Amino acid sequence: MTRLLLSEQAQPHSHDAEAAVLCAFIIENKYARQVKALLTCEDFYDARHSRIYQIIQTKLDADSPVDITTLLPYARIMPALQNHPDGPAGFMAGLLEACATPTMAVDYANVVKEFARRRGVIKLGQEICMAAREVDAESKTLL
């Protein structure tokens, strides 16, 4: 059995939960404050989701409406969406299918946050491993 290096393995994440958080905002942003208190852009694994979340937060902070129509112009200029098989509009339409109900937004956000924490633990572990390999590293200072 071949073992993959940590850098070659997919990091813990839930594409579905990330998309569901965005879907909940697009359909109904009733839970925006609760989700915003939990998540930052960095908590998203998918850079496209992170960017869309950032746009949504900026619009909400400016008391601007958030829906598929107001987000689509931003999606159309996102380089990461240009190569999507269905184009930017198709990607955004796919987000609308991602959640069963917006009332689950906080639950979806908690899933995203949990995976972000796990990635943080992995990153910290990798940093400790790299530091331990240094010639002049002292074990008592590593932890």
Side-chain angles (χ1 to χ4, degrees):
M1 180 168 148
T2 304
R3 295 190 129 195
L4 295 174
L5 297 173
L6 282 176
S7 60
E8 296 171 341
Q9 296 176 4
Q11 295 292 307
H13 69 284
S14 172
H15 179 82
D16 294 335
E18 289 185 11
V21 167
L22 299 174
C23 173
F25 273 107
I26 293 168
I27 292 174
E28 177 183 347
N29 46 40
K30 178 178 179 180
Y31 302 95
R33 284 193 182 131
Q34 291 170 283
V35 171
K36 187 175 181 180
L38 284 171
L39 296 180
T40 66
C41 297
E42 292 79 23
D43 291 329
F44 288 84
Y45 181 76
D46 187 321
R48 301 169 302 180
H49 293 163
S50 177
R51 179 67 181 123
I52 292 168
Y53 183 75
Q54 181 183 34
I55 293 165
I56 289 170
Q57 293 305 315
T58 300
K59 292 184 79 47
L60 290 173
D61 289 345
D63 289 326
S64 297
V66 173
D67 60 26
I68 195 71
T69 304
T70 61
L71 292 175
L72 196 52
Y74 296 94
R76 286 193 174 118
I77 60 171
M78 285 177 60
L81 296 184
Q82 300 310 310
N83 295 328
H84 188 273
D86 300 318
F91 180 85
M92 296 301 290
L95 290 179
L96 290 176
E97 300 170 359
C99 67
T101 173
T103 60
M104 298 290 293
V106 175
D107 295 311
Y108 302 141
N110 279 314
V111 171
V112 172
K113 189 65 171 185
E114 175 60 24
F115 281 115
R117 286 185 187 119
R118 290 183 193 182
R119 291 192 304 274
V121 169
I122 290 169
K123 181 180 178 191
L124 180 60
Q126 289 172 330
E127 290 170 358
I128 292 170
C129 286
M130 287 174 38
R133 289 188 176 99
E134 294 294 322
V135 176
D136 59 348
E138 292 185 32
S139 60
K140 63 183 176 184
T141 63
L142 294 175
L143 300 175

